[in-house]
Amino acid sequence: MSTSSPTTLPQTGIPGLIENWRSDLLSGFLVFLIALPLCLGISIASGFPPMAGIITAIIGGLVVSRISGSFVTINGPAAGLIVVILDSVQDLGHGDAIAGYHLTLAAIVIASIFQILMGINKAGKLSAFFPSSVVHGMLAAIGIIIMAKQIHTLLGVKPAAKSLLGIIAEVPHSLFNLAPEIALIGGTGLVLLISWTFIQSKNLKMIPAPLLVVLIGLGLGHMLATQAKFLVAVPENFTDGFSLPDFSKIGEFEFWKQVITIWLVGSLESLLSASAVDKLDPYKRNSNLNRDLTAVGVGNLLSGLIGGLPMIAEIVRSSANINNGAKTGWANFFHGAFLLIFVALFPALINQIPLTSLAALLVFTGFRLASPKEFAHTWHIGVDNFIVFIATIIGVLATDLLIGVGIGIIVELLIHLSRGLKINNIFSLAYHIDQTDADTYRIKVSGAAVFSNYIAIKSLLSDFPEHKTIYFDLTEAELIDHTVMEFIDHYAHEYNLGGGKCEIVGLDNHESYSSHHLAARRKVNNI
């Protein structure tokens, strides 16, 4: 299969709209069909009113698409932030969901200002500080939490437990005490989502599975005369869904803890997703991640001020956008426009959607975040990665997201220290560049190259000249972790696709910690 990309890049701005409006309009419409039920489900699962997720996606489409640094990314609420926002609502509200909602809006506003400043100061590179095993562990833990909480809604049962571990322990009880009609609707939707992954027909795949789940839910809900308490509830007037933030706890520690969590997790997920979308772009365009983060921060500021959830660059909708033939950011704009039109004209139809259908979407999303494939993939990379992965999951489940991620980072550092990482190398990477001729560079790395110290070299490479020959010489590197190996491998791949030449050399005297080609390794003579 060829890895070449189309040679003529789509135009941007108004010329791009004139040139690509047909493909972007169609893709925007298809993404809107996926986004509508997901926005509703994510919002409800986050402890926010259903309309909050719609508000976020509308702002992400109409505003963020016009100022972002990406090309085919879809901005909107994401399942990965459900746990963060729900925890904030519960912790700040102390049992009062409405108060927690308004206080969380204030936390979103402050966190968005940090995001804007982070983007303006070109600090998007700080996402590199999080080891890949910790990030995957965080996402897997989020998936487990989403499944544990939404399975009860799917079955039509409200758990008595308040703690996460208690809610997980109550799953068998809910299975034995399910509401038959509700479970039938949700179960049918879940079976459809699972089945849809095995369909090979491209024409059938064009039909969004979330849309089918909602349509089936509407039909079964009408047949079974589902009670109103099991249905979505949105206001008849779109603007009635707006709410204002409450800054009354801005002087309290717990408020700032939520601000930092929303800021860090939201920024990290958005940067990682935007980078992942670039890999899917058939034109191989690279997003300006700092500008993209600034734009997302502006969107979150507006969203928090009027009652919406925080947004990120959302990977599932973005990949669908690319598969649907989107060319520019106007597809994101159109997806937001269609959402605005629909909720303004057809709120009564939204109020007929069963909550269990949305829960089915979220249970499936949670499973994808924490699928057995993720565990197997991490194990294959190496036992060290798997230990960090599991430690992060347990840490998140036992404490909270921020502490759990911190535990994962500490475990990763302890493993590196046991392998010879020196204290003074934790945040300092030794390297120098030799230019052997006008077009050839040799980047020599010495000492340890690990997740916590390679930000400097990542910054250097972001502005490196194109169409040159680059050699990453790791001969003198005593220790290289998986995160750095993965980064260098990806950079070399992208640089080669761009017409340059980039190779990794000097690994002959290194011992790998597993059979995976990107596993951590260290020099043999240091053993």
Side-chain angles (χ1 to χ4, degrees):
M1 179 178 164
S2 173
T3 57
S4 62
S5 57
T7 54
T8 305
L9 295 179
Q11 298 184 72
T12 57
I14 298 301
L17 174 62
I18 296 170
E19 179 185 67
N20 303 292
W21 70 268
R22 290 179 180 84
S23 57
D24 286 346
L25 182 68
L26 175 60
S27 183
F29 177 73
L30 293 174
V31 172
F32 144 72
L33 296 177
I34 299 172
L36 178 64
L38 288 175
C39 288
L40 292 169
I42 290 168
S43 194
I44 294 168
S46 301
F48 272 38
M51 190 61 79
I54 302 292
I55 291 171
T56 306
I58 290 172
I59 293 173
L62 300 185
V63 179
V64 176
S65 72
R66 300 299 84 227
I67 59 175
S68 74
S70 58
F71 300 94
V72 284
T73 298
I74 298 296
N75 298 103
L81 287 176
I82 287 175
V83 175
V84 175
I85 300 304
L86 183 60
D87 282 351
S88 179
V89 171
Q90 293 174 341
D91 290 351
L92 296 179
H94 296 290
D96 186 339
I98 300 300
Y101 165 51
H102 289 281
L103 289 163
T104 299
L105 290 178
I108 292 170
V109 170
I110 303 297
S112 69
I113 294 172
F114 289 163
Q115 280 186 321
I116 294 169
L117 293 174
M118 190 176 176
I120 290 174
N121 290 290
K122 303 186 184 305
K125 63 187 178 184
L126 293 177
S127 63
F129 185 77
F130 295 87
S132 58
S133 50
V134 171
V135 173
H136 287 288
M138 177 190 76
L139 293 175
I142 289 171
I144 292 169
I145 295 169
I146 290 171
M147 284 190 289
K149 292 190 174 183
Q150 290 301 308
I151 191 70
H152 300 285
T153 303
L154 187 149
L155 298 171
V157 180
K158 186 174 182 179
K162 299 300 180 183
S163 69
L164 173 61
L165 296 180
I167 289 171
I168 293 173
E170 273 198 48
V171 170
H173 176 269
S174 293
L175 285 169
F176 284 109
N177 294 275
L178 56 81
E181 297 88 354
I182 303 303
L184 174 63
I185 298 171
T188 302
L190 189 57
V191 168
L192 186 146
L193 288 167
I194 295 169
S195 304
W196 213 248
T197 61
F198 297 101
I199 290 179
Q200 302 297 322
S201 170
K202 288 186 178 180
N203 291 330
L204 276 178
K205 283 282 190 180
M206 288 290 287
I207 304 172
L211 174 65
L212 291 179
V213 170
V214 167
L215 291 176
I216 290 173
L218 286 169
L220 289 175
H222 181 72
M223 289 171 54
L224 300 172
T226 306
Q227 298 177 40
K229 68 178 181 178
F230 294 113
L231 301 175
V232 175
V234 298
E236 291 294 322
N237 189 328
F238 173 62
T239 56
D240 288 344
F242 292 177
S243 293
L244 298 175
D246 176 3
F247 292 93
S248 62
K249 287 194 174 183
I250 198 168
E252 299 182 18
F253 170 78
E254 63 179 353
F255 177 84
W256 286 99
K257 179 185 175 184
Q258 300 305 331
V259 168
I260 292 170
T261 305
I262 293 168
W263 166 48
L264 287 180
V265 177
S267 299
L268 176 62
E269 285 199 37
S270 195
L271 289 166
L272 292 172
S273 296
S275 298
V277 172
D278 282 350
K279 296 177 187 178
L280 302 175
D281 184 0
Y283 294 94
K284 301 302 176 187
R285 294 166 289 187
N286 290 316
S287 299
N288 183 330
L289 295 181
N290 290 310
R291 180 178 170 184
D292 204 56
L293 186 59
T294 303
V296 168
V298 170
N300 285 335
L301 178 62
L302 295 174
S303 185
L305 287 172
I306 63 173
L309 284 163
M311 71 185 70
I312 68 168
E314 210 286 321
I315 184 68
V316 174
R317 275 156 267 168
S318 297
S319 60
N321 190 40
I322 293 168
N323 292 334
N324 294 335
K327 300 290 192 299
T328 75
W330 287 105
N332 189 12
F333 178 89
F334 287 130
H335 124 272
F338 281 121
L339 280 168
L340 176 60
I341 292 168
F342 190 86
V343 297
L345 298 180
F346 306 108
L349 185 58
I350 295 176
N351 286 329
Q352 298 300 312
I353 299 174
L355 293 172
T356 184
S357 295
L358 302 181
L361 295 176
L362 294 173
V363 169
F364 184 70
T365 299
F367 177 78
R368 290 175 65 174
L369 288 172
S371 71
K373 286 183 179 179
E374 277 296 319
F375 286 78
H377 173 69
T378 308
W379 174 264
H380 180 54
I381 292 171
V383 175
D384 53 341
N385 257 52
F386 191 73
I387 290 171
V388 175
F389 177 75
I390 295 297
T392 305
I393 292 174
I394 294 173
V396 171
L397 296 181
T399 57
D400 60 35
L401 208 60
L402 208 56
I403 295 174
V405 167
I407 289 171
I409 291 173
I410 291 170
V411 171
E412 176 102 351
L413 281 174
L414 289 174
I415 290 173
H416 292 335
L417 289 169
S418 71
R419 291 173 172 176
L421 172 66
K422 296 178 176 62
I423 297 293
N424 60 350
N425 280 153
I426 291 178
F427 301 110
S428 175
L429 174 65
Y431 70 93
H432 68 274
I433 302 171
D434 289 339
Q435 186 172 359
T436 55
D437 59 49
D439 295 319
T440 304
Y441 297 84
R442 184 174 289 268
I443 303 173
K444 296 183 177 180
V445 178
S446 58
V450 297
F451 76 94
S452 58
N453 68 12
Y454 84 108
I455 291 176
I457 200 167
K458 185 173 184 179
S459 300
L460 168 76
L461 293 173
S462 65
D463 297 319
F464 217 75
E466 298 178 343
H467 309 299
K468 304 293 182 181
T469 298
I470 304 173
Y471 294 102
F472 276 101
D473 189 344
L474 302 177
T475 304
E476 298 302 319
E478 298 170 3
L479 176 67
I480 313 138
D481 75 357
H482 166 67
T483 300
V484 176
M485 286 296 301
E486 187 177 52
F487 165 72
I488 296 175
D489 181 75
H490 171 65
Y491 180 83
H493 177 71
E494 292 297 311
Y495 196 82
N496 291 333
L497 283 179
K501 179 184 177 183
C502 185
E503 292 183 12
I504 303 171
V505 297
L507 290 176
D508 293 341
N509 294 323
H510 289 75
E511 181 182 65
S512 176
Y513 284 99
S514 81
S515 60
H516 193 276
H517 71 291
L518 298 179
R521 57 199 71 207
R522 64 176 175 176
K523 286 186 74 172
V524 174
N525 58 12
N526 287 335
I527 297 175

